[in-house]
Protein backbone atom coordinates (compact mmCIF):
# COMPACT_ATOMS: atom_id res chain seq x y z
CA UNK A 1 0.00 0.00 0.00
CA UNK A 2 1.28 3.45 -0.86
CA UNK A 3 1.93 5.29 2.38
CA UNK A 4 -0.69 7.97 3.14
CA UNK A 5 0.77 11.44 3.48
CA UNK A 6 -2.06 13.63 4.72
CA UNK A 7 -5.11 13.52 6.96
CA UNK A 8 -7.27 13.49 3.82
CA UNK A 9 -6.24 9.88 3.28
CA UNK A 10 -8.23 9.09 6.44
CA UNK A 11 -11.88 8.80 7.36
CA UNK A 12 -11.18 10.54 10.66
CA UNK A 13 -8.20 12.57 11.87
CA UNK A 14 -7.96 14.33 15.23
CA UNK A 15 -5.48 16.05 17.49
CA UNK A 16 -3.91 13.71 20.01
CA UNK A 17 -2.12 14.07 23.33
CA UNK A 18 -1.95 17.38 25.16
CA UNK A 19 -4.06 19.23 22.57
CA UNK A 20 -6.88 16.69 22.88
CA UNK A 21 -6.68 16.84 26.69
CA UNK A 22 -6.64 20.66 26.80
CA UNK A 23 -3.22 20.51 28.48
CA UNK A 24 -1.14 21.93 25.65
CA UNK A 25 1.33 24.74 26.21
CA UNK A 26 3.16 26.91 23.65
CA UNK A 27 5.94 24.29 23.66
CA UNK A 28 3.60 21.36 22.91
CA UNK A 29 4.08 19.56 19.60
CA UNK A 30 1.07 18.85 17.40
CA UNK A 31 0.35 15.14 17.34
CA UNK A 32 -2.31 13.84 14.94
CA UNK A 33 -3.95 10.43 14.93
CA UNK A 34 -6.52 9.01 12.60
CA UNK A 35 -8.18 6.03 10.96
CA UNK A 36 -8.18 5.00 7.31
CA UNK A 37 -9.91 2.30 5.29
CA UNK A 38 -7.29 0.01 3.83
CA UNK A 39 -7.76 -0.92 0.13
CA UNK A 40 -9.36 -4.28 -0.58
CA UNK A 41 -6.11 -5.75 -1.92
CA UNK A 42 -4.74 -5.61 1.62
CA UNK A 43 -7.31 -8.26 2.56
CA UNK A 44 -6.82 -10.68 -0.31
CA UNK A 45 -3.09 -11.22 -0.11
CA UNK A 46 -1.27 -13.95 1.78
CA UNK A 47 1.12 -11.32 3.10
CA UNK A 48 0.45 -9.36 6.25
CA UNK A 49 -1.96 -6.51 5.57
CA UNK A 50 -1.49 -2.84 6.28
CA UNK A 51 -1.84 -1.91 9.98
CA UNK A 52 -0.69 1.68 10.41
CA UNK A 53 1.59 4.36 9.07
CA UNK A 54 3.61 6.88 11.05
CA UNK A 55 5.30 10.10 10.03
CA UNK A 56 7.42 12.16 12.38
CA UNK A 57 7.93 15.91 12.38
CA UNK A 58 11.69 15.51 12.70
CA UNK A 59 11.67 13.55 9.40
CA UNK A 60 10.68 16.67 7.50
CA UNK A 61 6.90 16.62 8.02
CA UNK A 62 5.02 19.46 9.68
CA UNK A 63 3.66 17.30 12.51
CA UNK A 64 3.62 13.81 13.96
CA UNK A 65 0.97 11.75 12.17
CA UNK A 66 -0.23 8.22 12.92
CA UNK A 67 -2.99 6.64 10.83
CA UNK A 68 -4.39 3.26 11.90
CA UNK A 69 -6.01 0.86 9.50
CA UNK A 70 -9.70 0.49 10.38
CA UNK A 71 -9.32 -3.17 11.37
CA UNK A 72 -6.40 -2.46 13.71
CA UNK A 73 -8.16 0.58 15.18
CA UNK A 74 -11.32 -1.42 15.89
CA UNK A 75 -9.41 -4.25 17.54
CA UNK A 76 -7.36 -1.96 19.79
CA UNK A 77 -10.28 0.31 20.62
CA UNK A 78 -12.47 -2.69 21.49
CA UNK A 79 -9.69 -3.74 23.85
CA UNK A 80 -9.76 -0.26 25.50
CA UNK A 81 -6.25 0.71 24.42
CA UNK A 82 -5.98 4.25 25.88
CA UNK A 83 -3.94 5.70 23.00
CA UNK A 84 -6.37 4.41 20.37
CA UNK A 85 -9.90 4.42 21.78
CA UNK A 86 -9.65 8.15 22.48
CA UNK A 87 -9.48 8.94 18.75
CA UNK A 88 -13.29 8.75 18.56
CA UNK A 89 -13.83 10.57 21.87
CA UNK A 90 -12.15 13.90 21.18
CA UNK A 91 -14.10 17.15 21.42
CA UNK A 92 -15.61 18.29 18.08
CA UNK A 93 -13.15 21.21 18.01
CA UNK A 94 -10.26 18.73 17.89
CA UNK A 95 -11.50 16.97 14.74
CA UNK A 96 -9.28 17.95 11.81
CA UNK A 97 -10.87 15.84 9.08
CA UNK A 98 -13.92 13.63 8.95
CA UNK A 99 -15.90 11.67 6.35
CA UNK A 100 -19.32 10.12 6.83
CA UNK A 101 -17.60 6.88 7.84
CA UNK A 102 -15.62 8.74 10.47
CA UNK A 103 -18.89 10.18 11.75
CA UNK A 104 -20.32 6.65 11.89
CA UNK A 105 -17.51 5.62 14.24
CA UNK A 106 -18.12 8.67 16.42
CA UNK A 107 -21.87 8.02 16.51
CA UNK A 108 -21.21 4.47 17.71
CA UNK A 109 -18.19 5.16 19.92
CA UNK A 110 -19.88 4.05 23.15
CA UNK A 111 -19.89 0.50 21.73
CA UNK A 112 -16.13 0.48 22.34
CA UNK A 113 -16.57 1.07 26.07
CA UNK A 114 -16.34 -1.87 28.47
CA UNK A 115 -15.05 -2.73 31.92
CA UNK A 116 -11.72 -3.52 30.29
CA UNK A 117 -10.94 0.14 30.83
CA UNK A 118 -10.25 -0.68 34.48
CA UNK A 119 -7.37 -2.94 33.46
CA UNK A 120 -5.92 -1.08 30.47
CA UNK A 121 -6.10 2.48 31.78
CA UNK A 122 -4.98 1.27 35.20
CA UNK A 123 -2.13 -0.64 33.54
CA UNK A 124 -1.04 2.41 31.56
CA UNK A 125 -1.15 4.47 34.76
CA UNK A 126 1.20 1.96 36.38
CA UNK A 127 3.57 2.25 33.41
CA UNK A 128 3.62 6.04 33.87
CA UNK A 129 4.42 5.47 37.55
CA UNK A 130 7.28 3.15 36.62
CA UNK A 131 8.79 5.79 34.32
CA UNK A 132 8.26 8.46 36.92
CA UNK A 133 10.02 6.36 39.56
CA UNK A 134 12.90 5.57 37.21
CA UNK A 135 13.60 9.20 36.36
CA UNK A 136 13.18 10.17 40.01
CA UNK A 137 15.81 7.61 40.95
CA UNK A 138 18.23 9.02 38.36
CA UNK A 139 17.64 12.59 39.56
CA UNK A 140 18.12 11.76 43.23
CA UNK A 141 20.96 9.28 42.77
CA UNK A 142 22.54 9.50 39.29
CA UNK A 143 24.15 6.23 38.18
CA UNK A 144 27.94 6.17 38.04
CA UNK A 145 30.10 4.27 35.53
CA UNK A 146 29.97 0.58 36.46
CA UNK A 147 32.91 -0.82 38.45
CA UNK A 148 35.17 -3.51 37.00
CA UNK A 149 34.22 -7.18 36.98
CA UNK A 150 36.79 -7.88 39.69
CA UNK A 151 35.43 -5.11 41.92
CA UNK A 152 31.95 -6.55 41.43
CA UNK A 153 33.18 -9.96 42.60
CA UNK A 154 33.41 -11.59 39.18
CA UNK A 155 36.46 -13.14 37.50
CA UNK A 156 38.13 -10.95 34.87
CA UNK A 157 36.72 -13.22 32.16
CA UNK A 158 33.37 -15.06 32.21
CA UNK A 159 33.69 -18.69 33.27
CA UNK A 160 30.63 -19.68 31.23
CA UNK A 161 30.73 -19.62 27.42
CA UNK A 162 28.84 -16.67 25.90
CA UNK A 163 26.53 -18.85 23.79
CA UNK A 164 25.75 -21.11 26.74
CA UNK A 165 25.03 -18.08 28.91
CA UNK A 166 22.67 -16.62 26.31
CA UNK A 167 20.86 -19.94 26.01
CA UNK A 168 20.38 -20.26 29.77
CA UNK A 169 19.33 -16.62 30.06
CA UNK A 170 16.75 -17.20 27.32
CA UNK A 171 15.38 -20.28 29.11
CA UNK A 172 15.07 -18.48 32.43
CA UNK A 173 13.48 -15.44 30.75
CA UNK A 174 10.96 -17.72 29.04
CA UNK A 175 10.09 -19.32 32.37
CA UNK A 176 9.71 -15.91 34.03
CA UNK A 177 7.55 -14.74 31.13
CA UNK A 178 5.28 -17.73 31.65
CA UNK A 179 4.94 -16.77 35.32
CA UNK A 180 4.23 -13.20 34.28
CA UNK A 181 1.62 -14.50 31.81
CA UNK A 182 3.36 -12.92 28.82
CA UNK A 183 2.83 -16.05 26.76
CA UNK A 184 -0.97 -15.90 26.89
CA UNK A 185 -1.14 -14.89 23.24
CA UNK A 186 -4.75 -16.08 22.89
CA UNK A 187 -5.97 -13.80 25.65
CA UNK A 188 -7.17 -10.24 25.15
CA UNK A 189 -4.49 -7.80 26.26
CA UNK A 190 -6.89 -6.33 28.81
CA UNK A 191 -7.27 -9.72 30.48
CA UNK A 192 -3.53 -10.27 30.25
CA UNK A 193 -2.90 -6.94 31.97
CA UNK A 194 -5.38 -7.93 34.69
CA UNK A 195 -3.64 -11.26 35.29
CA UNK A 196 -0.16 -9.74 35.18
CA UNK A 197 -1.17 -7.10 37.73
CA UNK A 198 -2.64 -9.80 39.97
CA UNK A 199 0.53 -11.91 39.82
CA UNK A 200 2.72 -8.85 40.36
CA UNK A 201 0.71 -7.89 43.44
CA UNK A 202 0.89 -11.46 44.74
CA UNK A 203 4.67 -11.62 44.32
CA UNK A 204 5.00 -8.22 45.98
CA UNK A 205 3.00 -9.46 48.95
CA UNK A 206 5.33 -12.47 49.12
CA UNK A 207 8.24 -9.97 49.07
CA UNK A 208 9.70 -11.93 46.17
CA UNK A 209 12.14 -9.65 44.36
CA UNK A 210 13.74 -10.06 40.95
CA UNK A 211 16.71 -12.03 42.28
CA UNK A 212 14.46 -14.45 44.16
CA UNK A 213 12.26 -14.98 41.08
CA UNK A 214 15.34 -15.50 38.92
CA UNK A 215 16.73 -18.05 41.37
CA UNK A 216 13.37 -19.85 41.53
CA UNK A 217 13.16 -20.05 37.73
CA UNK A 218 16.69 -21.46 37.56
CA UNK A 219 15.89 -24.12 40.14
CA UNK A 220 12.69 -25.12 38.31
CA UNK A 221 14.80 -25.60 35.17
CA UNK A 222 17.10 -27.92 37.13
CA UNK A 223 20.20 -25.73 37.17
CA UNK A 224 22.89 -26.22 39.79
CA UNK A 225 22.87 -23.65 42.59
CA UNK A 226 26.47 -22.61 41.88
CA UNK A 227 25.65 -22.02 38.20
CA UNK A 228 22.59 -19.97 39.14
CA UNK A 229 24.68 -17.86 41.52
CA UNK A 230 27.34 -17.15 38.90
CA UNK A 231 24.81 -16.36 36.17
CA UNK A 232 22.74 -14.17 38.46
CA UNK A 233 25.83 -12.15 39.30
CA UNK A 234 26.64 -11.85 35.58
CA UNK A 235 23.06 -10.72 34.94
CA UNK A 236 23.22 -8.07 37.65
CA UNK A 237 26.54 -6.82 36.31
CA UNK A 238 25.08 -6.56 32.80
CA UNK A 239 22.09 -4.69 34.23
CA UNK A 240 24.43 -2.11 35.78
CA UNK A 241 25.88 -1.41 32.34
CA UNK A 242 22.40 -1.37 30.80
CA UNK A 243 21.02 1.12 33.31
CA UNK A 244 24.04 3.37 32.97
CA UNK A 245 23.68 3.29 29.18
CA UNK A 246 20.00 4.18 29.49
CA UNK A 247 20.88 7.00 31.86
CA UNK A 248 23.44 8.43 29.41
CA UNK A 249 20.89 8.19 26.58
CA UNK A 250 18.31 10.00 28.73
CA UNK A 251 20.84 12.73 29.52
CA UNK A 252 21.71 13.15 25.86
CA UNK A 253 18.19 13.17 24.41
CA UNK A 254 16.08 14.74 27.15
CA UNK A 255 14.19 17.97 26.67
CA UNK A 256 16.20 20.52 28.66
CA UNK A 257 13.19 22.54 29.80
CA UNK A 258 11.40 19.39 30.89
CA UNK A 259 14.54 18.27 32.71
CA UNK A 260 14.76 21.56 34.58
CA UNK A 261 11.20 21.00 35.78
CA UNK A 262 12.07 17.43 36.77
CA UNK A 263 15.00 18.61 38.89
CA UNK A 264 12.90 21.35 40.50
CA UNK A 265 10.11 18.93 41.36
CA UNK A 266 12.11 15.77 41.97
CA UNK A 267 10.14 13.77 39.39
CA UNK A 268 9.00 13.79 35.77
CA UNK A 269 5.92 16.00 35.90
CA UNK A 270 4.66 14.97 32.47
CA UNK A 271 4.44 11.32 33.51
CA UNK A 272 2.88 12.42 36.80
CA UNK A 273 0.19 14.40 34.98
CA UNK A 274 -0.57 11.48 32.64
CA UNK A 275 -0.87 9.13 35.61
CA UNK A 276 -3.54 11.23 37.32
CA UNK A 277 -5.36 11.91 34.02
CA UNK A 278 -5.67 8.19 33.23
CA UNK A 279 -7.33 7.56 36.59
CA UNK A 280 -9.76 10.45 36.10
CA UNK A 281 -10.77 9.19 32.65
CA UNK A 282 -11.16 5.55 33.69
CA UNK A 283 -13.25 6.40 36.75
CA UNK A 284 -15.64 8.56 34.72
CA UNK A 285 -16.00 5.96 31.97
CA UNK A 286 -16.74 3.17 34.45
CA UNK A 287 -19.36 5.36 36.09
CA UNK A 288 -21.14 5.62 32.73
CA UNK A 289 -20.06 9.17 31.94
CA UNK A 290 -18.38 8.26 28.64
CA UNK A 291 -14.67 8.82 28.01
CA UNK A 292 -14.00 12.49 28.72
CA UNK A 293 -10.62 13.61 27.39
CA UNK A 294 -10.81 17.29 28.32
CA UNK A 295 -11.38 17.11 32.02
CA UNK A 296 -13.58 19.54 33.99
CA UNK A 297 -11.85 22.84 34.63
CA UNK A 298 -10.68 22.11 38.20
CA UNK A 299 -9.24 18.73 37.26
CA UNK A 300 -7.63 20.18 34.15
CA UNK A 301 -6.05 22.97 36.18
CA UNK A 302 -4.60 20.44 38.60
CA UNK A 303 -3.19 18.41 35.72
CA UNK A 304 -1.64 21.53 34.19
CA UNK A 305 -0.20 22.62 37.52
CA UNK A 306 1.39 19.19 37.98
CA UNK A 307 2.73 19.16 34.43
CA UNK A 308 4.18 22.67 34.68
CA UNK A 309 5.81 22.03 38.06
CA UNK A 310 3.74 24.49 40.09
CA UNK A 311 4.02 22.33 43.22
CA UNK A 312 7.83 22.11 42.98
CA UNK A 313 9.35 19.72 45.55
CA UNK A 314 5.89 18.79 46.87
CA UNK A 315 4.87 17.31 43.50
CA UNK A 316 5.84 13.70 44.11
CA UNK A 317 4.08 13.42 47.48
CA UNK A 318 1.00 15.19 46.10
CA UNK A 319 0.80 12.82 43.14
CA UNK A 320 1.29 9.74 45.32
CA UNK A 321 -1.43 10.89 47.71
CA UNK A 322 -3.76 11.63 44.79
CA UNK A 323 -2.97 8.26 43.23
CA UNK A 324 -3.87 6.43 46.45
CA UNK A 325 -7.26 8.17 46.56
CA UNK A 326 -8.00 7.62 42.86
CA UNK A 327 -7.03 3.93 43.00
CA UNK A 328 -9.74 3.37 45.60
CA UNK A 329 -12.24 5.33 43.50
CA UNK A 330 -11.28 3.32 40.43
CA UNK A 331 -11.83 0.01 42.22
CA UNK A 332 -15.22 1.19 43.52
CA UNK A 333 -16.24 2.44 40.07
CA UNK A 334 -15.25 -0.90 38.55
CA UNK A 335 -17.19 -2.88 41.14
CA UNK A 336 -20.35 -0.83 40.58
CA UNK A 337 -19.96 -0.21 36.85
CA UNK A 338 -22.88 -0.92 34.52
CA UNK A 339 -20.57 -1.20 31.52
CA UNK A 340 -20.42 -4.63 29.86
CA UNK A 341 -17.49 -6.87 30.67
CA UNK A 342 -16.70 -7.00 26.95
CA UNK A 343 -17.81 -5.10 23.88
CA UNK A 344 -20.64 -6.37 21.69
CA UNK A 345 -18.48 -7.86 18.95
CA UNK A 346 -21.40 -8.63 16.64
CA UNK A 347 -22.57 -5.01 16.60
CA UNK A 348 -19.04 -3.71 16.05
CA UNK A 349 -18.42 -6.27 13.31
CA UNK A 350 -21.56 -5.13 11.51
CA UNK A 351 -20.55 -1.46 11.63
CA UNK A 352 -16.96 -2.08 10.55
CA UNK A 353 -18.05 -4.44 7.76
CA UNK A 354 -20.51 -1.85 6.42
CA UNK A 355 -17.78 0.79 6.29
CA UNK A 356 -15.46 -1.53 4.38
CA UNK A 357 -18.04 -2.72 1.85
CA UNK A 358 -19.37 0.75 1.14
CA UNK A 359 -15.83 2.14 0.80
CA UNK A 360 -14.64 -0.65 -1.47
CA UNK A 361 -17.71 -1.40 -3.60
CA UNK A 362 -20.10 1.50 -3.03
CA UNK A 363 -22.65 -0.85 -1.43
CA UNK A 364 -25.36 0.74 0.69
CA UNK A 365 -26.95 -0.80 3.79
CA UNK A 366 -29.79 -2.42 1.80
CA UNK A 367 -27.41 -4.02 -0.68
CA UNK A 368 -25.18 -5.24 2.13
CA UNK A 369 -28.18 -6.82 3.86
CA UNK A 370 -29.18 -8.66 0.68
CA UNK A 371 -25.61 -9.88 0.22
CA UNK A 372 -25.51 -11.13 3.80
CA UNK A 373 -28.76 -13.08 3.29
CA UNK A 374 -27.43 -14.65 0.08
CA UNK A 375 -24.20 -15.67 1.80
CA UNK A 376 -26.06 -17.22 4.73
CA UNK A 377 -28.30 -19.22 2.37
CA UNK A 378 -25.53 -20.62 0.17
Amino acid sequence: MKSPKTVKDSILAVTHGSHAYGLNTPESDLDIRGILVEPVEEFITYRAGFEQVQQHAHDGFTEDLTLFGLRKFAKLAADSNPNVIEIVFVEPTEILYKTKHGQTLIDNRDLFLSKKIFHTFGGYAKSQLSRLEGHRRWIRNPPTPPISREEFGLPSKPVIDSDAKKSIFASITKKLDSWNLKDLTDEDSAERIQLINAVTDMLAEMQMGNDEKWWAAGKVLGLDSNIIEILNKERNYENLHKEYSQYLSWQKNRNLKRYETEVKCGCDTKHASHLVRLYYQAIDALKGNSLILKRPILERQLLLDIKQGKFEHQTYDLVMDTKAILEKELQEAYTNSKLPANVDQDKLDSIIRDIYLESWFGMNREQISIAEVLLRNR
Side-chain angles (χ1 to χ4, degrees):
M1 177 179 180
K2 184 178 179 182
S3 294
K5 298 298 182 184
T6 71
V7 296
K8 291 190 177 181
D9 290 296
S10 70
I11 59 173
L12 179 65
V14 304
T15 63
H16 177 70
S18 60
H19 288 270
Y21 310 139
L23 302 175
N24 55 297
T25 63
E27 294 79 27
S28 298
D29 295 327
L30 178 61
D31 190 1
I32 298 172
R33 294 206 169 180
I35 308 161
L36 59 84
V37 176
E38 315 92 297
V40 66
E41 56 264 26
E42 291 292 329
F43 282 73
I44 55 175
T45 174
Y46 71 90
R47 293 171 293 183
F50 171 87
E51 290 193 338
Q52 70 184 71
V53 64
Q54 288 181 287
Q55 297 172 169
H56 301 288
H58 60 256
D59 292 331
F61 299 100
T62 56
E63 66 276 312
D64 286 341
L65 171 66
T66 301
L67 296 178
F68 295 97
L70 176 59
R71 179 167 53 181
K72 181 170 185 179
F73 161 79
K75 185 178 185 305
L76 292 176
D79 202 37
S80 297
N81 182 298
N83 289 324
V84 176
I85 191 174
E86 62 185 36
I87 292 174
V88 290
F89 282 92
V90 299
E91 300 263 332
T93 53
E94 302 306 319
I95 296 174
L96 303 176
Y97 184 77
K98 178 182 65 176
T99 69
K100 66 176 183 178
H101 296 312
Q103 185 62 51
T104 296
L105 292 176
I106 292 173
D107 291 341
N108 292 280
R109 63 190 182 183
D110 285 348
L111 289 175
F112 290 105
L113 296 176
S114 73
K115 293 180 77 170
K116 288 183 178 183
I117 279 180
F118 172 79
H119 307 297
T120 53
F121 276 62
Y124 269 61
K126 286 187 176 181
S127 72
Q128 295 297 321
L129 176 62
S130 177
R131 295 177 185 177
L132 185 154
E133 296 283 15
H135 287 190
R136 177 174 170 80
R137 184 175 68 252
W138 287 346
I139 292 169
R140 291 160 63 91
N141 187 24
T144 55
I147 57 179
S148 68
R149 289 178 59 86
E150 292 84 354
E151 291 171 315
F152 194 72
L154 287 168
S156 58
K157 292 184 178 180
V159 296
I160 298 176
D161 175 79
S162 176
D163 290 339
K165 183 177 72 172
K166 288 179 181 178
S167 177
I168 296 172
F169 276 8
S171 296
I172 291 179
T173 299
K174 185 176 180 181
K175 177 57 66 177
L176 289 170
D177 284 349
S178 72
W179 291 349
N180 289 330
L181 311 174
K182 291 182 180 178
D183 60 347
L184 295 180
T185 53
D186 293 332
E187 293 289 337
D188 288 327
S189 61
E191 276 69 40
R192 190 159 61 238
I193 290 172
Q194 178 185 9
L195 291 169
I196 289 172
N197 288 341
V199 171
T200 301
D201 292 342
M202 179 187 70
L203 293 174
E205 289 176 6
M206 294 169 60
Q207 296 184 332
M208 196 174 188
N210 288 331
D211 281 349
E212 289 83 2
K213 285 186 283 185
W214 211 84
W215 264 83
K219 294 299 288 184
V220 168
L221 292 171
L223 297 176
D224 180 80
S225 295
N226 291 330
I227 295 295
I228 297 175
E229 183 176 1
I230 293 171
L231 288 175
N232 192 40
K233 205 154 195 175
E234 290 280 3
R235 178 181 70 95
N236 286 330
Y237 188 66
E238 288 181 5
N239 285 340
L240 282 179
H241 280 270
K242 183 178 180 181
E243 170 143 12
Y244 187 65
S245 176
Q246 291 173 337
Y247 170 70
L248 292 179
S249 177
W250 173 68
Q251 273 195 320
K252 179 181 178 181
N253 300 313
R254 65 195 173 193
N255 179 293
L256 291 180
K257 185 169 183 178
R258 182 173 171 183
Y259 173 66
E260 289 173 0
T261 305
E262 282 187 78
V263 172
K264 180 176 70 173
C265 298
C267 66
D268 188 313
T269 56
K270 186 173 181 180
H271 290 319
S273 177
H274 282 319
L275 186 155
V276 176
R277 171 185 58 79
L278 285 161
Y279 279 120
Y280 280 153
Q281 291 174 343
I283 291 167
D284 250 2
L286 288 167
K287 287 182 175 179
N289 298 325
S290 192
L291 185 60
I292 302 172
L293 303 191
K294 284 188 178 178
R295 307 304 306 162
I297 187 63
L298 291 179
E299 291 182 7
R300 205 184 322 166
Q301 189 60 56
L302 174 62
L303 294 172
L304 266 175
D305 287 346
I306 292 172
K307 180 180 177 180
Q308 296 178 327
K310 296 291 179 65
F311 300 105
E312 299 190 350
H313 64 279
Q314 298 176 335
T315 301
Y316 180 78
D317 289 338
L318 170 70
V319 171
M320 292 303 101
D321 290 344
T322 304
K323 169 182 167 292
I325 294 170
L326 294 178
E327 277 185 334
K328 291 180 180 178
E329 289 187 26
L330 180 65
Q331 183 63 60
E332 183 180 348
Y334 175 71
T335 301
N336 299 321
S337 180
K338 299 297 190 296
L339 287 179
N342 295 286
V343 299
D344 188 327
Q345 294 187 351
D346 290 337
K347 282 186 179 180
L348 283 176
D349 271 343
S350 178
I351 292 167
I352 301 304
R353 186 168 59 248
D354 285 2
I355 292 176
Y356 274 124
L357 291 176
E358 185 172 348
S359 297
W360 290 342
F361 309 120
M363 297 175 69
N364 58 35
R365 179 63 254 177
E366 182 179 356
Q367 292 170 320
I368 293 171
S369 297
I370 293 172
E372 288 175 339
V373 171
L374 291 174
L375 286 171
R376 281 197 297 269
N377 293 331
R378 284 187 61 187

